[in-house]
Amino acid sequence: MLDIAAELHRWCEEERDFAVATVVAVTGSAPRQPGAALAVDAGGEAVGSVSGGCVEGAVYELCREAQESGRSVVERFGYSDDDAFAVGLTCGGVIDILVTPLRAGTAAYAVYASALADAARGRAVALARVVDGPEELLGGALCVPAD
């Protein structure tokens, strides 16, 4: 997510609602590693990438759906090596994507905004997120600044 932190920080300053999809696990070969992110704002503008093309469209739609429902979701995308070759995909691996909707004025938004502000300024920060467990906790976040 570091590669889009500055843009997402700007979105937070503008109080835009958005959803962020983040690669949280990779099995086998994949074009992007954990931490890669794609964000989509309420107007449909997108920044970032989670797959380099393989599943971008589906993840974009998941972001839009999460914005509407207000619920986080984890989705798995992947094919066996044989299937990947058959449909022309080069990665052949499996990626798990966490999609979290963020609405201005909420506590979750404030946590992300704080982490993004630090990251955009080049400060060390960690954003820990819940990727498994009860639905009401899924996508929950904790910002841990370096100091």
Side-chain angles (χ1 to χ4, degrees), residues 1 3 7 17 19 22 44-45 60 66-67 82 88 91 96 106 113 122-123:
M1 186 172 344
D3 57 336
E7 182 68 12
D17 292 346
T22 308
E45 183 179 342
Y60 179 94
Q67 288 173 26
D82 292 338
C91 58
D96 291 344
T106 64
R123 296 185 195 138

Side-chain angles (χ1 to χ4, degrees), residues 42-91:
E45 183 179 342
V47 295
S49 173
V50 292
S51 74
C54 300
V55 297
E56 296 293 317
V59 174
Y60 179 94
E61 290 304 320
L62 281 173
C63 286
R64 301 293 284 176
E65 291 169 14
Q67 288 173 26
E68 286 185 32
S69 72
R71 291 189 310 255
S72 294
V73 63
V74 174
E75 287 285 332
R76 176 167 284 174
F77 295 93
Y79 304 91
S80 70
D81 289 336
D82 292 338
D83 289 341
F85 182 76
V87 296
L89 300 175
T90 58
C91 58

Side-chain angles (χ1 to χ4, degrees), residues 87-115:
V87 296
L89 300 175
T90 58
C91 58
V94 176
I95 57 174
D96 291 344
I97 307 283
L98 170 66
V99 181
T100 304
L102 297 162
R103 293 186 175 139
T106 64
Y109 196 93
V111 170
Y112 273 78
S114 176

